[in-house]
Amino acid sequence: MGDAPRPRLGILLCLLSMLLFASQDGITKVLVKDLPVAQLVMVRYWVFLAFAVGYSLYRGHLGAACRSHHPVLQVIRALLGVGESALFGLGLRYLGMAEMHALYAVFPLMTLALAGAFLGEFIGVRRWIAAAIGFLGTLVILRPGTGVFELAALIPLLSALGFAVFSVLTRRISRDDSFATNMLYMGFFGALAITFSGLPGWVTPNPTQWGLIAVLSTIGMVAQLLLLQALKYATAGTLQPFNYTLLVFATFIGLLVFGELPDPWTVVGACMVIAGGLYAIKAKG
């Protein structure tokens, strides 16, 4: 028997997960000032791989989890995942937390469009309207042609696009491969790829930085587990609107820790992106 539906508990776990993800990004923003992004991503991926192996051993299916029906797509997905993580970390070096997350929040709408194009999922007029609203919100944040546009603002958009493609590949692969297989391939090939760029530029962290790296790696895994647990008690559709609290938490952390106050255009644009995302969730046709 599965876990009984408990939507309130699922929502609470989802909110805690979003808070931890925002805290993870705050710690990353502190560390990327002095340490290479590739090095931080490399450490996180080796920790993730250790967790993936441990999970598969715990479930007693390590051998089976190593076999995939889509090995090439799994490798591509892993490379996209590690590239998206590196881009996001790089963006935190140049942009504020609120601006970074406001632009990145467009990824569900990108996923919607890509799923329609490559997976044949029905989109419908209302969801295209939702995507248009989100796109306009992104333009409000970027304000191209006004003299305030930064090339660095393209980093979260590229990261969002990478994660959208990653999400579509995950949907396709998950039809045939297990959760454990997805984790193992992502952890192994992601760690292998990032190690080639992470090790050559290694900068030895000081004790404080080592402590932050340990916290960073730990809360990232805890956040993932909380989100998975939340899905046991509430449906993805129920939880999806609460995923946008990540932007709220990130904005507060940016304000309290880094003294970053988002400008009115970023706030308005972020509201439009969120509104487009929420409308897409509710829209049926």
Side-chain angles (χ1 to χ4, degrees), residues 233-247:
Y233 297 109
T235 65
T238 299
L239 296 179
Q240 182 61 38
F242 295 94
N243 290 338
Y244 284 109
T245 59
L246 175 60
L247 173 55

Side-chain angles (χ1 to χ4, degrees), residues 6 19 27 43 54 67 118 140 172 180 204 206 216 255 268 275:
R6 298 172 64 186
L19 176 59
I27 295 172
V43 173
R67 295 188 291 272
F118 295 103
V140 169
R172 174 64 186 90
T204 302
N206 59 41
L216 176 71
L255 178 62
V268 171

Side-chain angles (χ1 to χ4, degrees), residues 41-42 45 78-79 82 184-195:
V41 176
M42 179 182 70
Y45 261 79
L79 296 179
V82 76
L184 276 176
Y185 271 82
M186 180 179 170
F188 178 76
F189 287 101
L192 186 65
I194 195 64
T195 298

Side-chain angles (χ1 to χ4, degrees), residues 208-273:
T208 300
Q209 290 169 333
W210 271 122
L212 289 175
I213 290 173
V215 173
L216 176 71
S217 301
T218 302
I219 65 174
M221 294 308 307
V222 172
Q224 291 282 2
L225 290 174
L226 283 173
L227 192 55
L228 289 173
Q229 197 68 20
L231 288 166
K232 291 184 179 181
Y233 297 109
T235 65
T238 299
L239 296 179
Q240 182 61 38
F242 295 94
N243 290 338
Y244 284 109
T245 59
L246 175 60
L247 173 55
V248 178
F249 290 136
T251 300
F252 275 113
I253 290 174
L255 178 62
L256 295 176
V257 179
F258 304 103
E260 300 167 351
L261 185 64
D263 61 56
W265 290 106
T266 298
V267 174
V268 171
C271 289
M272 292 177 67
V273 171

